[in-house]
Amino acid sequence: MLFLLPAILLVLVFRIFPLFWGFGISLTSATSTDPGQFIGAGNYLRALDDPNFRSAMANAVVVLLSVPIFVTIPMLLAILIHQGVPGRTFFRSVYFFPAILSSVIIGSIFSVVLSFNGNLNALLGIAGISGVDWLGHSATALPVTLAIQCWSTFGMGVLIFLAGLSTVSKEMVEAACLDGAKMWQIWWHVIIPELRPIIEFSTVITTIGLLTSMFGLIYVLTGGGPGTATTVPEYLIWAA
């Protein structure tokens, strides 16, 4: 208990106490200069009437629905690397490289590439395809932002799944091979069940990351626009 006490105190002081304190403030009319009065659920009812809040929550639902994609892509890439494809050390390094870049740098790069007069539309023009305002159209802004977020973060997921694959029992895989199981059957019935704790862990940290770490990318790429097409709750909190 003595060894756990410092960690428990840190969680209580910097996590639990601010959480309850913030909830208490949300039940008042307090501002930065006025302690305000108790108004109950008034702030929450007012938020529900705010179209910007409803749009941000709808976008949050879309973000959450993309979590399986964010988990599946690193898992499939890790499986390919684990199978011993040529150049796997190179690919492992390349996949992880975006994870060391800041969201501001990534956003700045893609804001140039995906602008209406950017590199991507230039390539499409060479192929005879009309350009698209990827970040300026409400139908494409959020999916493109999520795709960029996936590209910039999947490297860490690949490393996590590679670590998980290294713990899979070789004896179970060999037994399945001796029983005549095909490769896809081995993956589906042996390896993926063994990876269940890794999949659950990756799903949790991916969900947390998507809900709390897209601010920088959205700020640089779209500023929450067009309109509120890419406004998520964390960005709306800052904008408000």
Side-chain angles (χ1 to χ4, degrees):
M1 289 303 298
L2 289 176
F3 282 112
L4 290 175
L5 185 59
I8 293 174
L9 289 176
L10 285 173
V11 172
L12 288 175
V13 173
F14 293 105
R15 292 286 185 179
I16 305 301
F17 173 72
L19 178 65
F20 284 97
W21 185 46
F23 176 72
I25 292 176
S26 73
L27 300 178
T28 70
S29 59
T31 65
S32 58
T33 58
D34 181 13
Q37 297 178 346
F38 180 79
I39 58 173
N43 289 325
Y44 294 96
L45 296 176
R46 189 156 53 93
L48 292 176
D49 290 333
D50 185 355
N52 292 333
F53 175 80
R54 293 198 298 268
S55 178
M57 295 306 296
N59 291 337
V61 172
V62 175
V63 169
L64 290 176
L65 291 175
S66 69
V67 169
I69 299 174
F70 278 70
V71 174
T72 302
I73 290 176
M75 182 175 67
L76 294 178
L77 292 174
I79 289 172
L80 290 175
I81 294 175
H82 186 71
Q83 289 296 316
V85 295
R88 58 179 178 175
T89 303
F90 169 77
F91 286 114
R92 185 166 52 193
S93 302
V94 170
Y95 291 156
F96 186 74
F97 177 72
I100 67 176
L101 299 176
S102 72
S103 58
V104 174
I105 294 175
I106 293 172
S108 299
I109 293 172
F110 279 98
S111 64
V112 174
V113 174
L114 298 175
S115 66
F116 188 73
N117 297 320
N119 304 78
L120 180 57
N121 282 339
L123 291 175
L124 293 177
I126 294 174
I129 302 174
S130 300
V132 178
D133 191 2
W134 300 99
L135 300 174
H137 196 284
S138 58
T140 58
L142 185 58
V144 167
T145 302
L146 287 172
I148 296 171
Q149 176 73 6
C150 181
W151 173 83
S152 65
T153 58
F154 78 90
M156 183 62 71
V158 171
L159 291 183
I160 292 173
F161 278 106
L162 283 174
L165 287 169
S166 66
T167 64
V168 174
S169 172
K170 294 181 180 179
E171 290 78 10
M172 292 181 63
V173 175
E174 291 173 357
C177 290
L178 292 175
D179 287 339
K182 296 182 168 76
M183 182 56 65
W184 70 268
Q185 292 174 318
I186 294 174
W187 280 104
W188 185 255
H189 295 289
V190 177
I191 297 179
I192 291 182
E194 288 283 307
L195 288 177
R196 181 178 175 181
I198 304 298
I199 294 173
E200 293 174 350
F201 173 75
S202 181
T203 300
V204 171
I205 64 171
T206 298
T207 303
I208 295 173
L210 284 174
L211 293 177
T212 61
S213 64
M214 288 187 63
F215 174 85
L217 194 62
I218 292 173
Y219 180 82
V220 176
L221 279 176
T222 63
T228 56
T230 56
T231 299
V232 293
E234 64 166 334
Y235 188 87
L236 182 63
I237 291 172
W238 174 83

